[in-house]
Amino acid sequence: MEFSSAASADAARSEFVYIEEDGAVREITSEEAEYLATPFHPADGGRPYIKRAYTARTPNGSLAGFLHRRDVPRSHT
């Protein structure tokens, strides 16, 4: 079984943004869009980290990560 975060690179560009460590929001790059559209096994440690909320942190405490565009707070758009 494999899953991808987006159906295609085009879909990834419209669905996701990237949150930088300092909290800045930016558009994803073409390479990141391809990465989000790549199928991964659910247990693969190399799969993209998709934040559940803007303030969510990774297990190592980083604020950086991909976020659904709809979950970006209005104050950061």
Side-chain angles (χ1 to χ4, degrees):
M1 181 175 288
E2 292 184 333
F3 295 97
S4 63
S5 301
S8 67
D10 286 337
R13 278 189 285 282
S14 65
E15 294 174 25
F16 293 95
V17 293
Y18 190 82
I19 309 303
E20 298 287 357
E21 186 59 38
D22 66 358
V25 179
R26 68 165 173 80
E27 297 294 327
I28 61 172
T29 65
S30 296
E31 292 80 17
E32 290 167 334
E34 291 292 335
Y35 177 53
L36 287 168
T38 301
F40 287 90
H41 185 276
D44 186 338
R47 71 188 185 286
Y49 174 67
I50 308 297
K51 297 163 58 84
R52 295 185 187 269
Y54 173 81
T55 57
R57 296 197 174 259
T58 64
N60 66 356
S62 175
L63 185 62
F66 297 103
L67 180 68
H68 281 98
R69 188 178 296 274
R70 68 177 180 263
D71 295 329
V72 176
R74 287 190 182 264
S75 60
H76 289 82
T77 56

